[in-house]
Amino acid sequence: MSIEFWVFIGVVVALILYIITIYNALVSLKHGVTKAWSNIDVLLKQRHDELPKLIAACKEVMKFEQDTLEKVIKARSMVANARENEDVKGVGKAETMLRAGLGNLFALAEAYPELKSNESFQQLQNRISGLENTIADRRELYNEAVNLNNVRIEQFPDVIVAKRFNFKAADLLEFDESEKQDVDVAGLFSS
């Protein structure tokens, strides 16, 4: 056997090893996205479980604020449905509604001294606020994992392997611009 044959075999083996390396890296990134989403999902579930308790505590005191409570309940349901359907974009939209509803609820609670002094309400508010902060941190990690995955499957030569083995881009978890705006507390009390 000639030297050209062994060079050809060496090139083929190197190419196969390179493709395997790319494939394994893409699998690792894909599972990183899944893991990051699972971390968010756990927190969303925990908050989902705390919201009925918060609403029950508020209902006892805030008899005239049913509209706000109903918005929180509806948004909670939308988040749950989007989570169950693994719809990241739907979670983002529903989360925006839920966060706005919770912001309104907490702002309205300021007008009810007996609610503000209720130990159960305070614990739930602190627990939910803590979960909100942790969700925001995890969202950043998730979006970074998504970005790494999406960039990698578009880069050459990885794009060839990604298309061949049907690797897909993942969706970022984004909230609407309204999420970034302050709650109009004065407007809440004038309605």
Side-chain angles (χ1 to χ4, degrees), residues 22-135:
I22 290 173
Y23 178 84
N24 288 340
L26 293 173
V27 167
S28 179
L29 289 170
K30 180 178 87 169
H31 287 286
V33 170
T34 302
K35 178 183 172 189
W37 177 254
S38 294
N39 290 334
I40 290 174
D41 197 47
V42 166
L43 295 168
L44 292 174
K45 171 88 170 84
Q46 288 175 357
R47 189 190 56 199
H48 181 82
D49 292 344
E50 296 292 338
L51 287 175
K53 298 173 198 169
L54 179 73
I55 291 167
C58 291
K59 275 185 177 179
E60 293 174 14
V61 177
M62 299 173 68
K63 300 195 186 313
F64 303 107
E65 307 297 345
Q66 291 301 312
D67 186 49
T68 301
L69 294 173
E70 287 172 15
K71 286 180 183 176
V72 170
I73 293 167
K74 180 180 176 190
R76 174 184 177 260
S77 176
M78 290 174 63
V79 170
N81 289 337
R83 276 182 51 242
E84 287 174 15
N85 294 327
E86 297 180 10
D87 177 9
V88 174
K89 288 183 179 182
V91 168
K93 288 178 183 176
E95 274 292 309
T96 298
M97 289 178 57
L98 182 59
R99 288 168 181 260
L102 284 172
N104 291 343
L105 181 65
F106 291 149
L108 285 170
E110 295 295 317
Y112 294 89
E114 65 234 49
L115 187 58
K116 283 176 40 181
S117 65
N118 181 306
E119 188 177 319
S120 177
F121 175 79
Q122 287 177 349
Q123 288 175 347
L124 289 166
Q125 184 178 17
N126 290 337
R127 170 84 170 128
I128 290 171
S129 294
L131 286 168
E132 292 292 326
N133 291 335
T134 307
I135 289 168

Side-chain angles (χ1 to χ4, degrees), residues 1-13:
M1 298 203 190
S2 70
I3 192 135
E4 292 88 15
F5 174 76
W6 290 112
V7 168
F8 175 75
I9 294 295
V11 168
V12 168
V13 168

